[in-house]
Amino acid sequence: MKDIFTINGQRIEYEFDETDVLLDVLRNNGHYEVKKGCGEGECGACAILLDGILVNSCQILAASVRGKEITTVRGLGNVHDPHPLQEAFADTGAIQCGFCTPGMILASYALLKENPHPSDDEIKQALDGNICRCTGYVKIFEAVRLAAERMRKNV
Amino acid sequence: MSDLKNVGRSIRKVDALSIATGRALYTDDFPLENPLSLMLLHSPHAHAEIIAINTSEAELVDGVVDILTYENTPHTLYTTAGQGYPEPSPYDYRMFDRKVRFIGDRVALVAAETAEAARKALAMIQVKYGELEAIFDPEGSMEPLAPKLHGEDAYAPLPVKYDPLRNLAAEVELGFGDMAKGFSEADLIEDNIYHTHFASHCAMEPHATKAYFDEKGRLVVITSTQVPFHVRRTLARVLDIPLRSIRVVKPRIGGAFGGKQEIILEPMAAYVAWKHKRSVRFVLSRKEVFTFCRTRHPFRMRFRTGYLKDGTITAMDVDALMNSGAYGAHALTVLSNSGSKMLPLFNKIENVHFLGRTVYTNTPVGGAYRGYGATQAYFGFNQQIDIIARKTSQDILDFAKKWHIRNGETSEVFRILGEGKEGVEQYIGSCGLDECIDRGAEKIRWYERRDLHFSPVPEKVRGVGMAISMQGSAIPLIDMASASMKMNEDGSFNLHVGATDLGTGSDTVLSQIAAEVLGVSPEKIIILSSDTDLTPFDVGAYASSTTYLSGKAVEKCALNVREQILTTASQILEIPRDELLYGEGRISDRSRSTEVRLEEVCLHALYTKDQYQIQSCASHVASESPPPFMAQFAEIEVDTQTGEVKVIKFVSAVDCGRAINPRLAEGQVEGATINGISYALHENYIFSDNGRMMNDSFWDYKIFTAPDIPEIHTIIVDSEEKTGPYGAKSVSEIGLNGPAPAIANAIYDAIGVRLFETPFTPDKILRELKKL
Ligand code: FES
Ligand code: FES
């Protein structure tokens, strides 16, 4: 089947099977920034924003997202014009292998949109669904705090 | 060295922004034209012979191109361990085999036009197994009547002890002094057996390999590996194709931790590609990573320590049994590391004996895993010294300080025990362990917490514990790294290294070293790494080697380039070479009145007179392996009702020489520490009676996530290792050694319970509490 997807503000038509999960459809169409760490909803590497809400794209049928806005980490910024979260992750050393990073940044983005001044506990809870094996999370927390601070100053 | 401009600075990782913005490419992100999908059939039996395998029906599935089994693939024996040549691991593995040796072992591989076709065909392969008796318990593996896993053909390429007919995958023995005397002099003997368990690396990126043919018909293998050059060598041998026809590329890697020092997927992927002249995509599922890939080798370690009433250790006897699982990947070297990375730490013990054996069992295969045997050994070691310190009424901190190796000192063990051969004598040139202990103790508030049994609420009790450890930095006189470099007209440099950045940040650290030597900012260093066509050789990322070994190769290479720059500058300025000053981005005379910028030097060299390319290459082999040192402290809380152990605060203080990039070094310690705490408290393989791993998903194999993270402190103590680049040693592995024993010691401090077996699950705590 075919459907129109809105990804990072752009409308585009993809062909897919009824049973295809969104993660595979995104990756098959060049959205490699959405990672697959487990395919079972356990790791958050495949996280995207669906109408601003954080979801694991491996747990969603592509056929079910009609009319919704998809945001991936590429939708937040690029190397020439990165989002403060992307900068903060780079600045604090929150990125080691980076396989968890797109999901982590989106989870942090979803948090900061709702709560621009999160406590440490709120940060931890917001990132609960995203596994990182490299960093021990310490610098990821720091990145979220730093981004929150920079974003607050900018508005 | 206080005027360093780039070394010692926490600059951003060179690939950080491309990763953060979703542009960095990992293996499975490279688009291929119509790749074949590869999928494996795994063994449902722990030990069986394949009596018949019928693929005819499966082959009829639309889209199936080939099905590989032991009947139609090369029978070359090799090891999946990606090590130097010849490998210290036994050759006991074929691409496919008539025998399967653990549940999850490979049986057949389908290559199909689509993943659906491959999946469908997998279900239609009919295999008739003749089940064989299986052995799961390493203790019984060497019994005469125990089932044997490997036949007479398996062999060790190095002259080391290997006896597959007794299930013996490796043996290491060493000793010095007089054990009988040592034990007879002892007032007391502390004799304990410690067990450490299986664990999965859990790199977030599952193992992946892609292959395609370039326009000249050469095979390009893109793969998530720590060892691209070993992959190329192994592929050429196993597939019997010319090495020159293979190019191995390591792109960004989604974590490795030793798990990708294994050459698992590449031979199968390359074989299908080569046979059908097609591109292929081979990506494992998470479940396959758990059940089919590598694990941390479980150990049983018996420590017998003789000591006097005043705490003087008179003898140390260690008997280690390592479970290799079904194949012998790293069977010898992880075992020898459990001795060679532990015993030298207490170098003042005069009578020492170590006997280690690695045995085969029908369980998942062990492999390299961050810490590499040292982690397993330090679990027992640190509890042993905690026990002895307590029994002789000493603070473990003082006890550790009295016995650990110091600057200018050596250990017999360095000389005796190497990797599959003798070791290399070395004297410690940098040891900041005392400072690690002191500063860590201060941070954890040791003296305010120890022996207090502080209880915030009636059923909860707190305690603190410490563990110390050392590791190495590269494998001396064996491992080699190299780098090449050329200069561009804008004063930038291309740096090509074989070194393999696994997310650890080595591309960044190596750039900083080059930038330091050449007096430029790190942005002026354009690094390219780990491509067997484009970059010079490097053994790869293992044995805590990259900063120390590859870093030194980069330093040497950059020094050569610097020399050429000075020579050309001397021609331009008409000032003798040794009267020139090499400054930041420019060369001048001593008074700084005339100068030439780097850009001008390069332009001159390329276009003006006696034209040449300013360029160089260099290799480095380390003559020793200076250990980093670490003291780690845990403050924990035990819930005596539920048996749950919670880490409240964890402090790691490390001497890694000079940290080239302190923030990245901290990150290495933090990542290893959390992995270690997670391993200590709940990660484990749970097996069914017939040897099946039951918890093969992140739902059931719980690793730490954000809410689990305690208060973490990382302290980098100042130290300088003369043999390393700008004083650096290694840092990536050592942080995993301390958490389990520090927590075990803290549990004892809290509730008086000794745990001799990891992980420290509530049932074990409750069971031990009942015994009190
Ligand atoms: S890939 Fe979707 S949660 Fe892991
Ligand atoms: S940085 Fe590697 S998993 Fe998070």
Side-chain angles (χ1 to χ4, degrees):
Chain A
M1 57 194 285
K2 280 184 188 169
D3 213 337
I4 306 269
F5 290 74
T6 312
I7 304 174
N8 299 331
Q10 289 204 325
R11 284 166 60 80
I12 186 156
E13 189 179 67
Y14 292 149
E15 219 186 305
F16 56 95
D17 281 347
E18 216 174 327
T19 52
D20 284 351
V21 293
L22 182 57
L23 168 61
D24 293 338
V25 174
L26 289 171
R27 287 189 58 84
N28 289 341
N29 288 286
H31 281 284
Y32 292 121
E33 71 276 25
V34 190
K35 304 294 182 202
K36 182 171 179 176
C38 70
E40 295 181 357
E42 305 151 357
C43 75
C46 66
I48 55 154
L49 299 178
L50 203 54
D51 281 347
I53 298 179
L54 190 75
V55 293
N56 286 334
S57 63
C58 72
Q59 296 300 298
I60 289 183
L61 287 179
S64 73
V65 301
R66 170 175 310 195
K68 295 190 173 144
E69 295 244 358
I70 294 169
T71 309
T72 74
V73 82
R74 280 194 204 168
L76 301 191
N78 59 51
V79 263
H80 307 292
D81 183 19
H83 186 273
L85 268 165
Q86 292 167 323
E87 294 260 22
F89 268 66
D91 286 339
T92 53
I95 299 169
Q96 284 188 29
C97 83
F99 207 76
C100 69
T101 306
M104 284 287 180
I105 288 182
L106 289 168
S108 312
Y109 179 87
L111 166 72
L112 296 187
K113 245 179 100 184
E114 292 295 309
N115 179 357
H117 207 142
S119 69
D120 286 359
D121 267 347
E122 286 165 334
I123 294 173
K124 286 183 177 180
Q125 291 310 327
L127 301 182
D128 190 15
N130 297 73
I131 302 181
C132 174
R133 188 60 148 179
C134 299
T135 62
Y137 304 91
V138 182
K139 303 225 180 311
I140 292 179
F141 302 153
E142 198 184 325
V144 180
R145 286 195 295 265
L146 179 66
E149 193 190 310
R150 287 178 178 169
M151 284 161 74
R152 285 198 303 271
K153 278 189 191 145
N154 273 350
V155 285
Chain B
M1 281 224 210
S2 53
D3 53 350
L4 293 174
K5 295 282 186 315
N6 293 297
V7 159
R9 271 182 53 212
S10 293
I11 64 162
R12 275 185 185 180
K13 240 156 67 85
V14 295
D15 51 1
L17 219 44
S18 65
I19 289 171
T21 55
R23 282 292 166 184
L25 294 183
Y26 299 70
T27 299
D28 196 28
D29 303 341
F30 284 81
L32 292 184
E33 234 174 282
N34 295 326
L36 291 172
S37 286
L38 307 190
M39 241 177 243
L40 273 171
L41 181 69
H42 298 279
S43 168
H45 300 295
H47 200 190
E49 206 145 3
I50 298 173
I51 294 172
I53 184 158
N54 183 349
T55 58
S56 50
E57 248 179 77
E59 278 160 30
L60 295 177
V61 173
D62 204 22
V64 169
V65 171
D66 202 353
I67 299 180
L68 304 188
T69 67
Y70 76 90
E71 288 173 338
N72 60 5
T73 46
H75 285 178
T76 316
L77 279 162
Y78 62 101
T79 172
T80 58
Q83 299 176 297
Y85 176 81
E87 298 89 340
S89 296
Y91 283 5
D92 58 4
Y93 194 87
R94 296 181 167 88
M95 198 183 298
F96 291 91
D97 209 326
R98 274 199 60 173
K99 234 179 150 195
V100 288
R101 298 178 176 86
F102 68 103
I103 291 183
D105 207 350
R106 75 261 180 255
V107 174
L109 178 111
V110 177
E113 298 293 350
T114 63
E116 294 69 56
R119 205 170 293 123
K120 204 164 152 202
L122 274 187
M124 295 169 73
I125 299 174
Q126 292 153 7
V127 191
K128 193 162 174 238
Y129 295 98
E131 269 197 77
L132 301 168
E133 191 194 339
I135 172 92
F136 300 122
D137 181 5
E139 300 287 346
S141 170
M142 287 183 65
E143 297 290 328
L145 293 178
K148 304 292 176 275
L149 275 80
H150 294 276
E152 272 166 12
D153 52 351
Y155 67 101
L158 277 179
V160 293
K161 191 151 184 185
Y162 177 63
D163 189 356
L165 297 181
R166 290 197 302 146
N167 282 337
L168 182 72
E171 185 174 298
V172 171
E173 184 165 16
L174 73 91
F176 48 83
D178 182 340
M179 296 306 286
K181 182 165 162 277
F183 279 114
S184 69
E185 281 169 5
D187 294 326
L188 295 153
I189 293 173
E190 194 57 42
D191 185 352
N192 296 305
I193 294 173
Y194 300 88
H195 283 100
T196 52
H197 56 291
F198 284 94
S200 172
H201 307 76
C202 298
M204 289 315 296
E205 174 202 34
H207 295 59
T209 300
K210 280 184 165 175
Y212 67 94
F213 287 88
D214 70 10
E215 68 282 3
K216 294 196 186 103
R218 292 173 71 241
L219 181 67
V220 183
V221 180
I222 303 174
T223 186
S224 58
T225 184
Q226 298 175 227
V227 286
F229 287 89
H230 297 337
V231 168
R232 182 179 65 169
R233 190 189 77 237
T234 300
L235 288 182
R237 184 175 157 264
V238 174
L239 273 62
D240 195 21
I241 59 179
L243 186 124
R244 65 178 177 278
S245 308
I246 307 167
R247 171 180 178 189
V248 177
V249 179
K250 179 228 64 118
R252 290 298 96 197
I253 295 295
F257 316 115
K260 293 171 182 168
Q261 201 196 331
E262 291 292 307
I263 303 168
I264 304 176
L265 304 191
E266 293 91 344
M268 294 181 269
Y271 186 74
V272 175
W274 192 261
K275 184 171 164 190
H276 295 279
K277 298 295 179 278
R278 291 277 307 266
S279 30
V280 300
R281 169 182 182 266
F282 196 2
V283 181
L284 294 187
S285 69
R286 179 57 54 186
K287 181 185 160 90
E288 285 176 301
V289 176
F290 276 117
T291 56
F292 170 61
C293 292
R294 300 295 171 257
T295 69
R296 182 183 291 288
H297 292 103
F299 265 73
R300 182 268 286 144
M301 257 196 179
R302 179 177 176 188
F303 283 79
R304 269 193 336 129
T305 315
Y307 58 103
L308 304 181
K309 287 196 188 98
D310 68 357
T312 304
I313 302 175
T314 57
M316 172 87 105
D317 187 20
V318 180
D319 179 34
L321 180 70
M322 175 174 125
N323 182 358
S324 194
Y327 299 96
H330 304 266
L332 173 72
T333 39
V334 169
L335 177 71
S336 51
N337 259 261
S338 76
S340 65
K341 297 287 181 279
M342 167 185 69
L343 297 170
L345 187 58
F346 270 22
N347 65 327
K348 293 161 192 71
I349 306 176
E350 282 171 10
N351 308 302
V352 173
H353 179 247
F354 176 94
L355 172 64
R357 292 202 174 99
T358 303
V359 296
Y360 289 122
T361 64
N362 296 106
T363 56
V365 188
Y369 192 143
R370 200 176 203 176
Y372 205 80
T375 302
Q376 293 95 321
Y378 276 115
F379 175 61
F381 177 88
N382 277 294
Q383 291 209 68
Q384 200 73 358
I385 66 172
D386 193 59
I387 294 169
I388 295 171
R390 284 181 180 279
K391 288 197 175 166
T392 55
S393 308
Q394 306 178 65
D395 183 7
I396 182 182
L397 309 192
D398 300 330
F399 186 54
K401 283 184 190 168
K402 215 178 283 170
W403 286 87
H404 79 70
I405 195 164
R406 290 176 177 278
N407 266 339
E409 294 182 357
T410 187
S411 159
E412 275 287 278
V413 182
F414 291 136
R415 190 183 55 74
I416 302 174
L417 189 52
E419 299 249 314
K421 52 180 177 182
E422 270 184 16
V424 175
E425 183 174 43
Q426 65 172 356
Y427 286 83
I428 299 298
S430 57
C431 175
L433 185 53
D434 277 358
E435 193 183 335
C436 292
I437 293 173
D438 288 339
R439 290 179 59 188
E442 194 188 330
K443 195 86 208 168
I444 202 90
R445 297 194 287 166
W446 181 261
Y447 299 103
E448 294 148 59
R449 288 277 187 272
R450 182 79 162 168
D451 292 322
L452 268 193
H453 316 288
F454 170 66
S455 187
V457 286
E459 68 277 9
K460 295 188 177 171
V461 192
R462 293 194 181 179
V464 290
M466 184 202 65
I468 52 171
S469 65
M470 55 172 260
Q471 199 81 28
S473 306
I475 309 172
L477 302 186
I478 292 181
D479 284 352
M480 187 274 278
S482 59
S484 70
M485 200 172 211
K486 69 181 174 66
M487 188 179 192
N488 303 313
E489 291 100 314
D490 62 346
S492 69
F493 300 84
N494 292 101
L495 170 61
H496 292 186
V497 292
T500 311
D501 191 333
L502 314 172
T504 43
S506 63
D507 282 354
T508 308
V509 163
L510 298 178
S511 299
Q512 285 180 263
I513 291 171
E516 189 63 55
V517 175
L518 292 165
V520 296
S521 65
E523 302 85 71
K524 292 260 174 86
I525 306 293
I526 308 149
I527 189 162
L528 178 86
S529 57
S530 332
D531 179 326
T532 59
D533 263 17
L534 302 179
T535 65
F537 180 86
D538 190 294
V539 286
Y542 57 86
S544 279
S545 62
T546 307
T547 299
Y548 181 73
L549 190 71
S550 312
K552 198 73 189 176
V554 167
E555 188 191 358
K556 280 184 180 174
C557 180
L559 280 168
N560 293 342
V561 168
R562 185 184 156 113
E563 207 38 57
Q564 292 174 23
I565 291 172
L566 282 166
T567 305
T568 300
S570 149
Q571 284 166 13
I572 300 171
L573 298 173
E574 295 176 344
I575 298 171
R577 150 78 187 82
D578 23 309
E579 285 170 28
L580 291 175
L581 283 181
Y582 195 114
E584 252 180 286
R586 62 199 65 225
I587 317 297
S588 64
D589 68 342
R590 286 208 185 113
S591 63
R592 293 203 165 84
S593 53
T594 25
E595 60 172 38
V596 58
R597 288 181 300 119
L598 285 185
E599 293 88 317
E600 297 168 278
V601 172
C602 186
L603 279 167
H604 182 91
L606 289 178
Y607 302 108
T608 311
K609 187 166 173 277
D610 299 333
Q611 290 86 331
Y612 78 114
Q613 166 75 64
I614 294 180
Q615 63 180 339
S616 183
C617 56
S619 306
H620 186 63
V621 181
S623 56
E624 49 193 271
S625 178
F629 294 94
M630 193 174 236
Q632 289 173 291
F633 296 80
E635 181 179 10
I636 59 96
E637 182 176 276
V638 185
D639 185 323
T640 54
Q641 301 292 307
T642 64
E644 206 168 319
V645 178
K646 196 173 150 202
V647 175
I648 306 288
K649 184 170 170 180
F650 200 94
V651 178
S652 301
V654 66
D655 156 20
C656 58
R658 181 190 305 275
I660 305 288
N661 183 317
R663 199 165 259 283
L664 295 186
E666 277 169 25
Q668 287 302 307
V669 174
E670 288 160 1
T673 297
I674 295 300
N675 187 334
I677 298 176
S678 184
Y679 175 63
L681 294 185
H682 38 108
E683 290 181 35
N684 197 6
Y685 274 45
I686 298 165
F687 292 104
S688 69
D689 286 347
N690 63 352
R692 178 182 302 277
M693 184 205 190
M694 308 291 283
N695 54 333
D696 54 9
S697 74
F698 283 136
W699 295 118
D700 299 316
Y701 184 99
K702 283 273 176 233
I703 70 175
F704 262 41
T705 55
D708 301 317
I709 304 306
E711 186 184 334
I712 292 282
H713 297 275
T714 304
I715 299 164
I716 297 182
V717 312
D718 270 337
S719 142
E720 179 155 348
E721 171 55 44
K722 290 265 179 310
T723 65
Y726 292 100
K729 297 189 277 191
S730 80
V731 72
S732 60
E733 294 188 81
I734 187 169
L736 237 157
N737 295 341
I743 293 169
N745 288 342
I747 292 172
Y748 184 87
D749 187 58
I751 55 171
V753 156
R754 247 318 136 202
L755 292 174
F756 295 99
E757 193 183 323
T758 55
F760 314 138
T761 46
D763 57 306
K764 283 183 196 152
I765 301 276
L766 291 179
R767 197 173 61 214
E768 293 303 316
L769 272 173
K770 276 205 194 96
K771 289 188 197 160
L772 288 184

